[in-house]
């Protein structure tokens, strides 16, 4: 028997064990790789998430930094899929429950 049910608004309801198996951590961002305004992937930092959340937007589609595939591989950064819920693990943004959804 599946533990997934759909509520009246179309959201899937699942148990906490199933949900927690889908939680993965982001990656550290060494200073020497920060500051690029173009690249293969936007790299969202806490400030990017906070800015989008405080502006009452739901989706984050850009970031203040970008990285190439080479750097992504080097620092072992994960690529989060479109539609992933992202939230910070540090600072006031964590305390404020800031979270946004990836749009790319």
């Amino acid at each position: 028997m599946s533990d997934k049910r759909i509520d009246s608004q179309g959201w899937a309801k699942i148990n906490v064990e199933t949900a927690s198996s889908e939680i993965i951590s982001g990656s550290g961002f060494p200073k020497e790789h920060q500051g690029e305004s173009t690249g293969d992937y936007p790299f969202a930092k806490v400030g990017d998430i906070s800015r989008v959340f405080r502006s009452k937007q739901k989706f984050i589609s850009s970031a203040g930094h970008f990285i190439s595939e080479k750097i992504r591989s080097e620092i072992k950064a994960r690529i989060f899929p479109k539609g992933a819920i992202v939230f910070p693990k540090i600072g006031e943004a964590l305390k404020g429950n800031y979270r946004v959804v990836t749009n790319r």
Side-chain angles (χ1 to χ4, degrees), residues 19-86:
S20 63
S21 71
E22 297 294 321
I23 297 173
I24 58 173
S25 183
S27 305
F29 195 22
K31 286 200 182 280
E32 64 265 21
H33 299 304
Q34 296 181 25
E36 295 297 323
S37 59
T38 62
D40 298 312
Y41 306 103
F43 198 111
K45 294 178 65 175
V46 172
D48 297 307
I49 295 169
S50 298
R51 175 184 43 79
V52 172
F53 184 82
R54 286 194 311 262
S55 68
K56 309 259 190 267
Q57 295 178 40
K58 180 178 180 181
F59 296 98
I60 185 167
S61 57
S62 67
H65 303 272
F66 283 76
I67 59 173
S68 66
E69 172 57 30
K70 180 182 179 219
I71 298 300
R72 188 212 59 80
S73 179
E74 187 179 305
I75 65 174
K76 297 178 176 57
R78 291 185 177 94
I79 300 169
F80 289 90
K82 182 177 180 177
I85 300 168
V86 294

